[in-house]
Amino acid sequence: MANFDIQMTVNGRQVSQSVSPHLRLLDFLREELHWTGSKEGCGAGECGSCSVFVDGVLMKSCLMPVAKAQDTIIETIEGLEEQGKLNVLQQAFQKTGASQCGYCIPGMMMAATAALRANPHAGREEIKERLGGNICRCTGYQKIFEATELARDVMNGTLPDDLLKQENDEGPFIGSNSFRIDTSSKVTGSLKYAGDMVMPQMLHMQVLRSPYPHAEILEINTSAAEAMAGVEAVVTCNDVPGIDGFGVFTDDQPVLARGKVRYVGEAIAAVAAEDLVTAKKALKKIKVRYQQLPVITKPEDAIKTGATVIHEDVPDNIVMHIPIRKGNVDKVMAESDHVIEDTYYTQPVEHAYLEPEAGLAYLDADGTLVIQSPSQNITHHRHKLAKILDLPINRVRMIMSAVGGGFGGKEDMHYQGIMALAVLKCRRPIRYVFTREESIIASAKRHPFIIKYQLGLSRDGHIQASRIHMLSDAGAYNCSSEGVMRKAAILAAGPYAIENLIVDAIGVYTNNTPSGAMRTFGAMQSQFATECHLDLCAEKLKMDPVELRLMNFLKEGDETHTRQKLGSVSMLEVFNSALELADWEAGISNSRGSTRSDLGNPGNRPPCTLGAREFPQETVSAGQSA
Amino acid sequence: MFYCDQYHVPQTLEEAFDLIQTNKGSYKVLAGATDLLPWAREGRGGDVNFESVIDISKITDMSEWQLQGDRISLGANVTIQQLLEDPFLRKHIPVMAKSAVWFADDQIREQATLGGNLVNASPAADATPPMLAMNAELTLQRKYKGKINQRKLPLHEFVTGPGKTRLEDGELVTRVECDSMPGYGSAFEKVGHRRSLVISTVCLAALVSLSDNGRKFEDVRLALGGVGPVPVRLHESESCLISKPVETELINKSADLAVKNVQSRTRQEYRREVVFNFVKRGIIEAMKDIETNYAEVDKNIKPRKNYG
Amino acid sequence: MNAPLRKSVRQKRGRGVAACWYGIARTATIDRAGAWAELDDGGTAKIITGVTEIGEGILTVLAQIAADELGIKPQDVTIGDNDTARSPEAAHAGATRQTYMIGNAVALACREARKRLIKELAQEWEISEDDIVCSNGMISTLDKTRCITISEAVELCKNRGVVPVGSGSFTANHTGLDPENGSGSPWQAYVYGAQVAEVEIDTETGEVQVLGVWAAHDVGRAVNPQGVEGQIEGGVVMAVGQTLMEDYKQVDGYPSTMNLAKYILPTSLDVPEVSSVIIEDPDPLSPLGVKGIGEPSMIPTAPAIINAIYDAVGVRIHSLPATPEKVLAALREKRDSADSVEKSAKSI
Ligand SMILES: Cc1cc2nc3c(=O)[nH]c(=O)nc-3n(C[C@H](O)[C@H](O)[C@H](O)COP(=O)(O)OP(=O)(O)OC[C@H]3O[C@@H](n4cnc5c(N)ncnc54)[C@H](O)[C@@H]3O)c2cc1C
Ligand code: FES
Ligand code: FES
């Protein structure tokens, strides 16, 4: 590769360097200059975590070959502070609590800056349009809009800058909007996530992943990869010194595939090399021979008799079945005035935390294995790793690096074990950063559910009996499936008093991407069905869906579906508060059309039409040559 | 990942063609890079290595535009953001701005070029339908035996399939010429799965001019994207209206005639229904754009029952 | 902001509501968390716990709790966290457990540290420990006759040979479920929520826009109300994505949505305005009364939207996501069946 010389000004400093031509501006900033404030969320223009100014124009630096930035002026998040102090926009982000995990914030701050530079009086809708290329997975954007508006008004002098200060400096602090203690590190880009860290002698890791959903591994030959210059270690399941296997509830997943792969994207072998390019090249030299096996992709098929077995020790493919039984459903259902049935489906969902998985692993001075990664469960991961590595538990040290969003998806230890094996083999620090694509195929998803619902009601709308059957695709490994089934089952029937009930939650293995923990752990799937079904029942009974709920809510002293006696129950107060806040008009659904008086109330945004921006109507045009 | 051994940034067409010749067989042309870089990733093009990349985005001749009679000539490097923001372009080819506002986001539009969008030939490319509707013609140039040769090709002949064009080895698209549309009302309809960074499931460009005090269609131009292997001009739908009175029945018929263009591999039924609605809506919105009040027509048009 | 209703027949509006409940901390198993506290020089404090902040703001919450327990300011609290070799076990970031489990553990640790300090001071001042309070950086007798800064008190305590440290362990006594009938007490604290959603549907394309969501959630006690709102807004929007567009697809086991061009997330132009009201029904079984919000905030959103779609256009979507295709197909089906009803009515 022919290097070429590049010059530019980055955050006010002249830079001149010889670089490899394939680098993107983002790589140059992060890897060569160590301005790691700008992040890589997708590498494909889809998220904006890499947004920077190039000659005053906001651009996605992951889409820009570095040569395009020749002789330009670059501004990144690190350049926003003014004389070591947060600027107005940064303070506004702090004031409104606009950053959560912080991973989108560098790009988001630049986009908000661009919006206000383009139009210092931009309204909410224009601000939204101008932030349209920047994804935030945590905040729901609202506080980011508020921050941008606050900054706008303070900068324009229409609001006093006092408003940027913390509201309460006296205490008590519980109940007050204290500033987040991590905000300034997030709005300045100074916070280091695992992928931003470097160490002397650090190697780069890449992982070979299964191209097949289900296959026997006949042979893995790593010799050609090992022989490559710059390759320090190649690891496979044969390098596991202890008891292989991890998972949140049962340890059914090997650190690296052992004899078999069960989903596309499953890790098979890994390379640690001096640089990323060498590591990638070495992966291509690992030869694996597979014998493809029949594939199960539907949970209905997994439980058929004679179905292909995915885990030898689980012949029926059932990961977990949680039953709940109360009262006499058959009898009461038969006696109910109305029996209403339907089926509901939820899809697999990607967590899409903006920070793809990453880690830095090394040996401490005393030989303790250290892994810094955005792990949501360092306690558990330490236990698992000690067992896998056959080390005393205090010889494994897990440090959670700053987490750029987790939502449950970073509870699984799906790469820390691989890093540990490689570090122990070559005894040098190793960094591993996932691409977005790798993150999506390798990590667990929200469980998809098929929910069969049957509800028996009295004429006036009292729930008499409930039968809920849930079948869920757990994918190739257990991960959190056991817990997800449990929570889905316990909460399925909703906050309603029901004397007779049958609930089953069944999770089954398939050859799909594993399902795992995700925000609500199955409860949103099961309650989705319940809350939709109640509205359906209200429709059939020609009732106001609000009435139907009010009549059936759990109250203090009631028993839950698992026969737990409840203390105080705030359901009624909460429900009425939501209705009041929304100015809800009572009535039967889909009966009033646009005459519903509560429609269009304040609290709605205008529908999106993409027309918030005004354009100059000059006669002379820049690019025009007559 | 995208790899290359050499990266060239020619400043003139001459330089570009010289680089193309010296790197024959092993070069890749790149303009805004917004299609190329995302393509060079796992699950799509994968790791790709080009011996030499020729970045044409700094060739200033290709970034200019002019009015030539009743045609506008645009350099292939004109960016989507320029189509959105430039007052001259907004005036002469306003439908491009209407399409541009739904195109990716502000940042990508600054890099993405018109030429790149047409050459990339995605079935869902948003610039192609309006350009088809404006009778776009491409100027293709290449250097042969020391001389720059040039040919012109109408856009509808240029794009031949998903990702496929008549671009020949060594050729560059240097200019795009299209009608200037004064007096036309225009509309761009787009639907996808969200509202920013959204790829079209269906998109439609509509241009309408009226005569006889707004009672007759003088000219109608319609083109669809997202519904088949290539974006298409809706000639039948157009001719069923041209020189005809502005009537609900005719607009319905025109929309009906468009439906059969849906030849996508997926979501056919959905697309058929949306195409019908878009053609109808596009025509009405384009008429509204000429500041005539067609609310009456709007009200009388009922959804069609069958989309088969 | 007022969103005027459009006159066109094309767009239809509707509203829906849904409720939810949720259990706090680990399910059907005992849960525990530990923390250490030290009142440090200069009126500052160190809190050490294995807590793992994932962006929700738990570190700030813990700093606020420690500040109130110790009578200092959140910015004077230094938190040592997230390191299995340097901090006590606090376990995972999940199950809406961090404020509840670790917040209470930190409160207990602070109380012990404070008690140490007060004990020394009480001896020094020769009064009862019960007559001493800390707040606002000061430590004083109840009648305010004696008052010194916390910084001075720490110095005094140390001069007496005592470092004011404390530790706390908080337990949530959950029981497992009966394997046959599922009976048990999986949690000791429950929270409840409800949300209203308003949608606008384009009947020509099937697009659904969620314009407003009004959310009410019981969180026990809101340590940082803005943080609670942030969890609600983020949860609602994540659920909007799941309700309308997100769909991880595989074909015969091969993923087909492996990047963010194919796996569609909500952008700034897709999200509703979210209004929230926080209800505080404190948990009687724990020191602080706090419960949680991280997960339940996203439960009612999807059904509220689906119910709103029905209210607007009379079709029920049974499978997520409610893409434009599904909504338009459902509208078509409804129209077709209305037609056939009409036809058969005529033929009678
Ligand atoms: C996040 C994101 C969102 C997007 N949204 C949209 C959207 O909403 N609508 C839409 O239509 N597209 C969209 N795109 C696609 C892309 O931005 C456009 O197609 C863009 O116009 C491509 O132009 P470019 O200059 O970046 O092309 P490049 O990537 O530089 O080139 C594309 C191809 O064209 C060739 N090429 C470019 N210029 C010439 C030339 N003058 N002569 C010969 N060959 C040439 C290149 O060799 C290459 O093969 C999106 C892309 C991203 C990453
Ligand atoms: S847009 Fe550049 S990393 Fe996502
Ligand atoms: S704060 Fe925006 S992605 Fe986490």
Side-chain angles (χ1 to χ4, degrees), chain C residues 29-312:
Chain C
T29 179
I30 206 158
D31 201 354
R32 74 268 166 175
W36 299 330
E38 178 191 347
L39 266 156
D40 203 352
D41 296 337
T44 65
K46 278 186 262 183
I47 301 294
I48 313 294
T49 167
V51 69
T52 46
E53 159 92 50
I54 57 170
E56 76 283 51
I58 184 64
L59 296 183
T60 310
V61 162
L62 297 182
Q64 287 177 263
I65 290 170
D68 274 5
E69 292 292 340
L70 301 172
I72 58 177
K73 294 185 200 295
Q75 55 265 41
D76 296 327
V77 178
T78 302
I79 300 185
D81 58 326
N82 67 35
D83 183 338
T84 57
R86 305 288 185 273
S87 52
E89 172 177 321
H92 81 301
T96 308
R97 65 184 285 282
Q98 300 221 85
T99 300
Y100 184 67
M101 295 304 304
I102 305 161
N104 280 315
V106 164
L108 293 173
C110 290
R111 285 175 193 182
E112 194 176 300
R114 185 185 65 197
K115 195 167 167 43
R116 272 226 162 80
L117 179 79
I118 288 180
K119 183 172 165 211
E120 296 306 314
L121 209 61
Q123 284 177 15
E124 185 81 15
W125 287 349
E126 297 176 338
I127 55 173
S128 152
E129 287 174 34
D130 297 339
D131 294 338
I132 298 180
V133 289
C134 321
S135 83
N136 227 346
M138 306 300 288
I139 188 160
S140 60
T141 52
L142 274 177
D143 59 9
K144 305 270 175 207
T145 50
R146 303 190 74 156
C147 184
I148 60 175
T149 63
I150 296 203
S151 171
E152 288 163 341
V154 169
E155 198 180 336
L156 189 148
C157 180
K158 287 189 179 173
N159 286 340
R160 291 173 58 91
V162 173
V163 180
V165 292
S167 67
S169 170
F170 179 69
T171 315
N173 287 303
H174 306 156
T175 66
L177 302 187
D178 180 276
E180 301 293 322
N181 65 19
S183 65
S185 297
W187 301 286
Q188 59 187 31
Y190 285 82
V191 291
Y192 303 87
Q195 293 178 10
V196 170
E198 181 163 332
V199 300
E200 180 176 288
I201 295 162
D202 184 326
T203 54
E204 292 185 354
T205 58
E207 289 165 287
V208 178
Q209 295 196 56
V210 185
L211 302 179
V213 169
W214 295 264
H217 288 271
D218 169 21
V219 303
R221 226 173 128 200
V223 177
N224 189 316
Q226 190 180 63
V228 172
E229 273 172 33
Q231 287 304 303
I232 294 174
E233 291 158 12
V236 164
V237 165
M238 188 174 259
V240 166
Q242 182 168 345
T243 311
L244 300 183
M245 58 191 90
E246 294 182 36
D247 198 358
Y248 177 75
K249 285 198 171 128
Q250 289 181 260
V251 181
D252 303 329
Y254 296 87
S256 62
T257 51
M258 63 187 285
N259 52 44
L260 298 185
K262 287 280 168 66
Y263 189 84
I264 309 287
L265 301 168
T267 69
S268 59
L269 294 173
D270 300 295
V271 302
E273 186 84 11
V274 182
S275 315
S276 21
V277 51
I278 300 170
I279 308 296
E280 297 189 302
D281 183 23
D283 174 44
L285 300 176
S286 53
L288 292 172
V290 296
K291 293 191 285 199
I293 183 66
E295 295 172 281
S297 61
M298 79 178 291
I299 298 176
T301 319
I305 294 170
I306 296 297
N307 292 339
I309 293 175
Y310 174 77
D311 183 48

Side-chain angles (χ1 to χ4, degrees), chain A residues 26 39-50 60-62:
Chain A
L26 181 64
K39 307 297 178 203
E40 176 157 358
C42 71
E46 298 283 348
C47 76
S49 61
C50 65
K60 290 181 164 169
S61 60
C62 72

Side-chain angles (χ1 to χ4, degrees), chain A residues 45, chain B residues 28-29 31-36 103-104 108 113 117 126 173 190 198:
Chain B
K28 181 73 191 170
V29 169
T34 65
D35 270 320
L36 218 49
F103 193 110
I108 287 167
T113 64
N117 195 251
D126 283 327
V173 173
K190 172 168 174 173
V198 56

Side-chain angles (χ1 to χ4, degrees), chain A residues 443-456:
Chain A
S443 71
K445 303 287 160 278
R446 180 189 289 289
H447 287 75
F449 274 64
I450 301 169
I451 305 172
K452 294 209 168 93
Y453 221 104
Q454 187 184 52
L455 212 56

Side-chain angles (χ1 to χ4, degrees), chain B residues 81-248:
Chain B
Q81 194 73 346
Q82 285 172 320
L83 294 168
L84 174 66
E85 291 185 338
D86 184 83
F88 176 85
L89 297 175
R90 286 179 70 83
K91 185 169 142 217
H92 286 274
I93 45 173
V95 69
M96 285 313 296
K98 288 176 184 155
S99 141
V101 77
W102 290 103
F103 193 110
D105 65 30
D106 275 288
Q107 305 168 56
I108 287 167
R109 291 196 293 257
E110 292 282 0
Q111 266 181 264
T113 64
L114 175 61
N117 195 251
L118 303 180
V119 175
N120 193 57
S122 155
D126 283 327
T128 310
M131 276 294 163
L132 283 174
M134 295 186 292
N135 296 324
E137 188 175 59
L138 309 187
T139 303
L140 304 161
Q141 294 188 325
R142 82 164 142 184
K143 201 164 179 180
Y144 186 66
K145 296 198 173 150
K147 248 182 57 203
I148 294 183
N149 291 344
Q150 148 169 343
R151 61 178 178 134
K152 294 206 173 188
L153 211 56
L155 178 57
H156 68 90
E157 287 178 26
F158 177 72
V159 181
T160 57
K164 292 206 187 80
T165 66
R166 293 229 153 84
L167 189 78
E168 282 174 19
D169 199 26
E171 251 179 350
L172 289 178
V173 173
T174 53
R175 304 203 72 79
V176 182
E177 239 176 60
C178 66
D179 294 343
S180 156
M181 314 290 288
Y184 279 77
S186 66
F188 187 80
E189 307 290 338
K190 172 168 174 173
V191 64
H193 276 190
R194 59 179 169 184
R195 279 163 202 275
S196 186
L197 291 171
V198 56
I199 300 300
S200 296
T201 311
V202 183
C203 68
L204 172 100
L207 290 139
V208 172
S209 72
L210 300 170
S211 62
D212 209 3
N213 252 335
R215 284 192 295 262
K216 250 166 114 177
F217 288 106
E218 185 182 50
D219 192 11
V220 177
R221 314 268 190 95
L222 299 163
L224 266 180
V227 300
V230 294
V232 286
R233 181 82 179 261
L234 304 175
H235 289 294
E236 268 188 81
S237 300
E238 292 173 1
S239 49
C240 118
L241 296 176
I242 294 171
S243 306
K244 302 275 165 54
V246 174
E247 273 172 13
T248 307

Side-chain angles (χ1 to χ4, degrees), chain B residues 7-27:
Chain B
Y7 195 99
H8 306 283
V9 190
Q11 308 291 314
T12 63
L13 260 180
E14 280 289 335
E15 271 177 59
F17 285 122
D18 288 346
L19 285 164
I20 286 175
Q21 284 215 308
T22 40
N23 294 290
K24 219 167 177 325
S26 64
Y27 72 93

Side-chain angles (χ1 to χ4, degrees), chain A residues 98-105 108 135-141 144 186 193 352-355 403-405 407, chain C residues 54-55:
Chain A
S99 97
Q100 289 188 19
C101 82
Y103 202 79
C104 71
I105 295 298
M108 199 62 88
I135 302 282
C136 175
R137 191 57 158 165
C138 301
T139 65
Y141 302 96
I144 292 170
K186 287 174 176 169
Y193 297 81
Y353 24 75
L354 261 248
E355 177 210 26
V403 180
F407 314 113
Chain C
I54 57 170

